[in-house]
């Protein structure tokens, strides 16, 4: 989607002007992975309009292959507006800001197994999907069911649950996300969204009990960190201290960091740390996307001893300079 960020604080009814940017869970991950040095392809649909032109150009400028993005002549590109502050919480309450989505009937909502090039989606080492797409239309849900089903030559399928309460009529409808997650190889799920969408309580172990099928499960725990479950058992890594500017895009950045480290064959602890570091990059800027730290910088921080990692504090601008550890 095209994103409009306010130029001044205040409720949407009073903000006089906005700056245009880009957003969207899957494109955020694609852009961040490309900026982190990985060949990345984004497969989607946007309108044959000026917003679509801007969106495709901006994603391509990040280094992403956009050759398989279809331009829809009959449906518009989705847009959203937000105030300064956080997006709506999983519980449906408003945090420090408002978000207004305009994507009903958008080009992306017309995705289905018939309108998306499945061969292009299957061509990479990892296919990353999110639950937001599943909520956009019946055709989008059919597409997600097709892509998460067992099939010859399927790549590693990563799935970020990304439960957004405003996109589902009820939590009962959102249980389809649990079915989709069970068909994937790697799943990202927030501890809070597992409770909101599926009624799962009791911490990361309870989420794993509800989702035993994926080979790897990462349970995000907000400021407490994240826990990864896999063949080697459970690994928990606390999040560094971050001076937060805005929370929007942080979950997508975490997924990109974890996937980047996975593609590089790093151990699980370092995958979680790279996830936290790229999330911190997003948390310290106002928009959806942030420039990730240089790989060498991130690797040095990810290799810190546990006591130094626990003291790490990241503030706006940290990705552009070396980070001192007290």
């Amino acid at each position: 989607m095209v994103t409009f960020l306010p130029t001044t604080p205040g409720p949407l009814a009073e903000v006089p002007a906005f700056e245009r940017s880009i957003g969207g869970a899957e494109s955020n991950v694609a852009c961040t992975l490309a900026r982190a040095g990985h060949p990345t392809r984004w497969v989607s649909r946007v309108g044959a309009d000026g917003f679509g032109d801007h969106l495709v150009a901006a994603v391509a400028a990040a280094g992403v292959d956009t050759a398989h993005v279809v331009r829809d002549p009959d449906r518009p590109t989705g847009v959203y507006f937000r105030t300064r502050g956080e997006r709506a919480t999983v519980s449906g309450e408003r945090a420090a800001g408002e978000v207004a989505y305009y994507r009903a009937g958008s080009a992306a909502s017309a995705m289905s197994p018939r309108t998306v090039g499945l061969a292009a989606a299957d061509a990479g080492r990892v296919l990353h999907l999110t639950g937001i797409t599943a909520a956009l239309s019946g055709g989008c849900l059919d597409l997600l069911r097709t892509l998460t089903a067992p099939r010859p030559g399927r790549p590693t399928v990563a799935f970020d649950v990304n439960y957004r309460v405003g996109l589902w009529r009820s939590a009962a409808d959102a249980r389809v996300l649990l079915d989709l997650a069970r068909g994937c190889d790697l799943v990202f799920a927030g501890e809070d969204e597992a409770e909101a969408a599926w009624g799962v309580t009791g911490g990361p172990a309870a989420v794993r009990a509800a989702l035993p099928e994926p080979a790897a499960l990462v349970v995000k725990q907000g400021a407490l960190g994240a826990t990864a479950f896999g063949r080697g058992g459970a690994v928990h890594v606390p999040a560094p201290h971050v001076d937060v500017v805005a929370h929007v895009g942080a979950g997508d950045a975490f997924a990109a960091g974890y996937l980047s480290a996975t593609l590089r064959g790093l151990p699980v602890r370092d995958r979680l740390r790279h996830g936290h570091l790229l999330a911190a990059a997003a948390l310290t800027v106002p928009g959806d996307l942030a420039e990730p730290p240089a790989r060498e910088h991130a690797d040095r921080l990810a290799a810190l001893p546990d006591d130094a990692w626990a003291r790490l504090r990241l503030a706006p601008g940290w990705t552009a300079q070396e980070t001192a550890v007290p």
Side-chain angles (χ1 to χ4, degrees), residues 97-112:
E98 300 170 74
V99 181
Y101 291 104
Y102 297 93
R103 57 181 166 194
S106 68
S109 71
M111 290 190 294
S112 74

Side-chain angles (χ1 to χ4, degrees), residues 31-37 277-278 281 289-295 298 318-320:
C31 289
T32 303
L33 276 171
R35 288 172 170 174
L277 290 169
L278 266 64
L289 286 170
E291 190 69 32
R295 182 174 289 184
W318 74 270
T319 59

Side-chain angles (χ1 to χ4, degrees), residues 222-237:
L224 295 179
T227 301
F229 296 87
R231 294 183 180 88
V235 177
H236 175 79
V237 170

Side-chain angles (χ1 to χ4, degrees), residues 46-272:
V46 299
D49 51 28
F51 287 152
D53 294 342
H54 171 68
L55 187 54
V56 173
V59 173
V64 178
D65 174 6
T66 58
H68 296 274
V69 177
V70 175
R71 307 302 297 272
D72 190 322
D74 301 316
R75 299 174 181 84
T77 302
V79 300
Y80 82 93
F81 297 77
R82 69 178 179 87
T83 56
R84 288 187 178 179
E86 304 174 18
R87 68 172 66 193
T89 63
V90 169
S91 65
E93 299 174 353
R94 294 290 172 180
E98 300 170 74
V99 181
Y101 291 104
Y102 297 93
R103 57 181 166 194
S106 68
S109 71
M111 290 190 294
S112 74
R114 298 173 299 282
T115 63
V116 170
L118 301 184
D122 280 351
R125 292 170 59 190
V126 175
L127 171 61
H128 181 72
L129 309 168
T130 84
I132 291 177
T133 298
L136 297 183
S137 68
C140 285
L141 179 55
D142 289 344
L143 176 63
L144 267 289
R145 283 174 168 152
T146 298
L147 293 173
T148 57
R151 59 188 185 280
R154 190 184 91 164
T156 296
V157 177
F159 181 70
D160 191 340
V161 172
N162 242 325
Y163 174 57
R164 294 288 177 265
V165 64
L167 292 178
W168 299 93
R169 288 174 295 179
S170 68
D173 292 327
R175 287 191 66 85
V176 70
L177 296 173
L178 189 60
D179 296 331
L180 292 172
R182 285 172 171 154
C184 299
D185 304 295
L186 166 61
V187 173
F188 300 95
E191 184 177 1
D192 58 345
E193 64 186 353
E195 179 178 359
W198 309 326
V200 175
T201 60
V207 181
R208 182 53 164 172
L211 264 176
E213 296 88 355
L217 169 68
V218 179
V219 181
K220 296 175 290 183
Q221 301 166 262
L224 295 179
T227 301
F229 296 87
R231 294 183 180 88
V235 177
H236 175 79
V237 170
H241 302 283
V242 179
D243 295 336
V244 175
V245 173
H247 284 78
V248 64
D252 304 327
F254 180 94
Y258 190 94
L259 288 172
S260 174
T262 300
L263 289 166
R264 295 171 59 201
L266 300 183
V268 173
R269 185 206 70 167
D270 290 4
R271 298 178 192 186
L272 290 168

